[in-house]
């Protein structure tokens, strides 16, 4: 295997530098998407198709209005680097893709204060999750995640990032037995899904609503979450 890789080292490097995970088990090279340049404030994002038999097809979707003549861009670090500061993003992009990012966001150094606040909130939530499961304050975690959602609304990539953060807020509101917060988060989640028009996001929402219906009785009873409920709901978080 090592000899075969060495014999095709240039081709292997090109693949690994441009591949996209079509599923947890599959990585693909999409010849058109591979031409899309990076921006830390992108106007587009890619997502898997939901057409039967074409699950590994990838779609490119606008996440905001794209002006005529404007370059179509995506973020190569949308998930891991969503709250990183400029220096960290530039270092990761230099290491992984060999270029110094000079996108609008990096050039003007915007969103630094908001991103710093988001990292602080994440650190506080992680610290609280280190406690014994039986003593976790789900209400406080839900409150902190509500602050995360509020801060993310101010980011350039909010249309796509909010889908993830609202999902987490729904989970924590369920575990905290906070009906009003849960309903509010679900309402905004539906609104955001409608705005981005991504089929996969719509499917994720539908699956979540089905799961919440299954757990509705425990929420209405108001008891503390057991290990199974916490595991099922927090695994994606």
């Amino acid at each position: 295997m090592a000899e075969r890789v060495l014999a095709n080292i240039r081709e292997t490097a090109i693949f690994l530098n441009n591949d996209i995970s079509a599923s947890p088990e599959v990585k693909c090279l999409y010849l058109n998407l591979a031409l899309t340049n990076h921006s830390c404030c992108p106007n587009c994002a890619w997502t898997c198709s939901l057409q039967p038999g074409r699950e590994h097809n990838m779609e490119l979707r606008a996440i905001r209005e794209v002006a005529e003549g404007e370059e179509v861009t995506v973020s190569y670090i949308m998930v891991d680097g969503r709250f990183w500061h400029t220096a960290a993003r530039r270092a990761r992009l230099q290491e992984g893709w060999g270029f110094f990012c000079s996108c609008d966001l990096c050039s003007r150094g915007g969103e630094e204060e908001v991103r710093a606040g988001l990292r602080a909130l994440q650190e506080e939530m992680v610290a609280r999750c280190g406690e014994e499961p039986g003593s976790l304050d789900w209400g406080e975690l839900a409150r902190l995640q509500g602050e995360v959602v509020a801060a993310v609304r101010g980011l350039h990539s909010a249309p796509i990032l909010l889908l993830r953060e609202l999902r987490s807020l729904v989970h924590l509101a369920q575990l905290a037995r906070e009906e009003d917060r849960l309903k509010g988060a679900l309402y905004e989640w539906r609104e955001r899904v409608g705005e981005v028009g991504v089929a996969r996001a719509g499917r994720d929402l539908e699956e979540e609503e089905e799961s919440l219906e299954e757990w509705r009785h425990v929420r209405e009873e108001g008891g503390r979450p057991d290990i199974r409920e916490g595991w099922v709901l927090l695994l994606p978080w």
Side-chain angles (χ1 to χ4, degrees):
M1 177 66 75
E3 289 177 356
R4 290 201 296 272
V5 170
L6 286 173
N8 300 281
I9 191 68
R10 181 173 180 273
E11 291 80 4
T12 302
I14 291 172
F15 176 83
L16 294 176
N17 197 51
N18 292 280
D19 71 276
I20 301 173
S21 295
S23 69
E25 302 83 18
V26 178
K27 290 180 178 293
C28 300
L29 179 61
Y30 299 91
L31 299 184
N32 288 327
L33 291 183
L35 299 175
T36 312
N37 283 330
H38 165 86
S39 173
C40 297
C41 50
N43 52 30
C44 293
W46 49 56
T47 179
C48 290
S49 170
L50 292 183
Q51 299 179 40
R54 306 183 70 183
E55 290 79 6
H56 293 156
N57 283 24
M58 200 69 75
E59 299 175 351
L60 187 69
R61 294 276 181 167
I63 61 175
R64 63 171 174 80
E65 291 292 328
V66 181
E68 183 177 353
E70 180 183 358
E71 181 181 12
V72 170
T73 57
V74 297
S75 173
Y76 297 171
I77 52 174
M78 176 66 81
V79 177
D80 294 341
R82 64 193 186 280
F83 301 148
W84 290 355
H85 54 72
T86 301
R89 296 196 308 273
R90 280 177 161 168
R92 177 67 185 91
L93 292 164
Q94 184 73 56
E95 175 188 20
W97 289 271
F99 67 87
F100 181 82
C101 188
S102 57
C103 72
D104 289 344
L105 187 63
C106 288
S107 297
R108 68 174 185 268
E111 303 182 349
E112 293 296 288
E113 185 175 346
V114 176
R115 288 169 178 265
L118 283 163
R119 294 194 299 274
L121 285 169
Q122 284 187 319
E123 290 172 4
E124 183 174 354
M125 294 178 75
V126 169
R128 289 180 178 276
C129 288
E131 301 171 5
E132 290 295 323
S135 62
L136 281 175
D137 187 341
W138 296 111
E140 182 61 12
L141 286 170
R143 184 191 68 78
L144 290 170
Q145 182 61 25
E147 292 188 18
V148 169
V149 168
V152 169
R153 291 191 191 110
L155 296 180
H156 184 93
S157 299
I160 202 71
L161 294 179
L162 277 170
L163 300 178
R164 176 191 181 97
E165 301 307 331
L166 286 166
R167 182 175 191 170
S168 295
L169 182 56
V170 165
H171 291 173
L172 290 171
Q174 162 72 19
L175 295 169
R177 311 301 187 226
E178 296 184 4
E179 192 73 25
D180 290 343
R181 193 188 296 273
L182 175 61
K183 289 180 179 179
L186 273 175
Y187 177 82
E188 183 176 355
W189 192 1
R190 292 189 198 100
E191 292 286 303
R192 299 293 180 174
V193 166
E195 289 173 2
V196 297
V198 175
R200 184 178 180 180
R203 184 192 61 183
D204 290 344
L205 175 58
E206 290 174 2
E207 291 176 351
E208 199 63 46
E209 290 180 317
E210 292 175 3
S211 177
L212 287 170
E213 186 61 27
E214 293 177 9
W215 292 100
R216 181 156 60 105
H217 66 284
V218 296
R219 184 173 73 249
E220 292 175 345
E221 291 168 2
R224 294 237 356 132
D226 60 20
I227 293 177
R228 179 170 172 266
E229 182 187 6
W231 178 258
V232 169
L233 290 177
L234 288 184
L235 186 59
W237 180 56

